[in-house]
Amino acid sequence: MKIPVLVINFKSYMESIGKRAIEISKIAEKVSEDTGITIVVAPTFVDIVKVKENVSIPVFAQHADPINPGAFTGRVNIENLKDWGIDGIIINHSEYQLKISEIDFLIKMARSKNMETITCTNNIDVTKAIAELAPEYIAIEPPELIGGEISVSRARPEVIENSVKMVENINKNIRVLCGAGVKNSEDVKRAMELGSKGILVASGVVKAKNTEAAIRDLVKGMGE
Ligand code: G3P
């Protein structure tokens, strides 16, 4: 994916499930076409195939289970996502944390299927451990700021700066993203100045009164 990148995580909000998932994705696609900025959408498993059929921007899963295909009731494996053309996977989100062995399995399995992974980390020590696994992207999200009104770039700028430096020392190919509480272009701009290559956002888009205006404003912070 071309950087910078804006990743919209739909989570399981009322405002972003079902038909709304398609509506938001189409708006994201339009903004991406107008501005040239990469916008990724991450709908629920229930909505993901329909979304993929309706837009041409990258569609990521919010999670995948660290399993091979087989007798696993109620779980979703990477093969299944690949079958439907899903472009990538968010791994180890703060709201769905995994063991390091599971993260390793998922990164390797996704890579073998030519799917990109964004692995989330909740602090600097976890970031260090994950960087050794060489995912394409690491997204640092301080959990206490997720869903709040104050962005990571405002409240914890040092977390972004230190993570970027540390990851660079371990593996220059990994791109560091950040998220939590990001609401406007100023938050995004600040994050980019601190070395972030993109943003993960949920409530700032999903709960916005005007979805298109919210996405356009965030993208503006990427210097579109
Ligand atoms: O994955 C992105 C997310 O955790 C950030 O959520 O609502 O703070 O933008 P939010």
Side-chain angles (χ1 to χ4, degrees), residues 140-153:
I140 172 103
E141 297 198 325
E144 70 279 9
L145 299 173
I146 293 178
E149 292 303 318
I150 303 169
S151 73
V152 55
S153 51

Side-chain angles (χ1 to χ4, degrees), residues 35-81:
T35 60
I37 297 286
T38 309
I39 304 182
V40 173
V41 287
T44 64
F45 282 138
V46 177
D47 297 328
I48 198 164
V49 175
K50 270 241 180 285
V51 167
K52 181 66 198 168
E53 285 170 357
N54 275 276
V55 293
S56 55
I57 53 175
V59 178
F60 274 42
Q62 295 176 14
H63 165 79
D65 288 310
I67 51 165
N68 286 305
F72 297 102
T73 303
R75 306 187 79 186
V76 175
N77 62 59
I78 287 184
E79 295 274 356
N80 199 174
L81 296 166

Side-chain angles (χ1 to χ4, degrees), residues 27-36 39 212 215-216 219:
I27 294 168
E29 178 180 50
K30 185 170 139 211
V31 177
S32 178
E33 280 168 5
D34 289 352
T35 60
I39 304 182
E212 181 167 344
I215 299 175
R216 282 194 190 278
V219 161

Side-chain angles (χ1 to χ4, degrees), residues 20-182:
R20 263 306 273 165
I22 297 171
E23 283 165 24
I24 297 171
S25 300
K26 285 192 166 163
I27 294 168
E29 178 180 50
K30 185 170 139 211
V31 177
S32 178
E33 280 168 5
D34 289 352
T35 60
I37 297 286
T38 309
I39 304 182
V40 173
V41 287
T44 64
F45 282 138
V46 177
D47 297 328
I48 198 164
V49 175
K50 270 241 180 285
V51 167
K52 181 66 198 168
E53 285 170 357
N54 275 276
V55 293
S56 55
I57 53 175
V59 178
F60 274 42
Q62 295 176 14
H63 165 79
D65 288 310
I67 51 165
N68 286 305
F72 297 102
T73 303
R75 306 187 79 186
V76 175
N77 62 59
I78 287 184
E79 295 274 356
N80 199 174
L81 296 166
K82 180 69 185 175
D83 266 351
W84 291 105
I86 303 309
D87 302 280
I89 303 154
I90 295 174
I91 299 173
N92 196 47
H93 192 278
S94 271
E95 292 150 7
Y96 208 148
Q97 288 183 309
L98 301 171
K99 293 182 196 146
I100 194 119
S101 56
E102 297 173 324
I103 298 168
D104 184 45
F105 174 97
L106 287 167
I107 291 171
K108 287 178 177 151
M109 175 65 88
R111 184 165 300 136
S112 75
K113 305 280 165 208
N114 285 322
M115 294 167 82
E116 290 193 301
T117 50
I118 298 173
T119 304
C120 299
T121 61
N122 55 343
N123 64 41
I124 200 98
D125 294 330
V126 175
T127 302
K128 194 171 178 189
I130 298 298
E132 298 289 351
L133 303 178
E136 286 76 31
Y137 299 87
I138 287 180
I140 172 103
E141 297 198 325
E144 70 279 9
L145 299 173
I146 293 178
E149 292 303 318
I150 303 169
S151 73
V152 55
S153 51
R154 200 174 286 263
R156 307 283 309 277
E158 77 289 353
V159 172
I160 305 175
E161 225 173 356
N162 295 341
S163 305
V164 168
K165 279 190 203 136
M166 199 189 57
V167 171
E168 231 169 53
N169 280 336
I170 297 174
N171 183 337
K172 284 196 171 22
N173 297 323
I174 302 172
R175 291 150 167 188
V176 176
L177 314 176
C178 67
V182 175

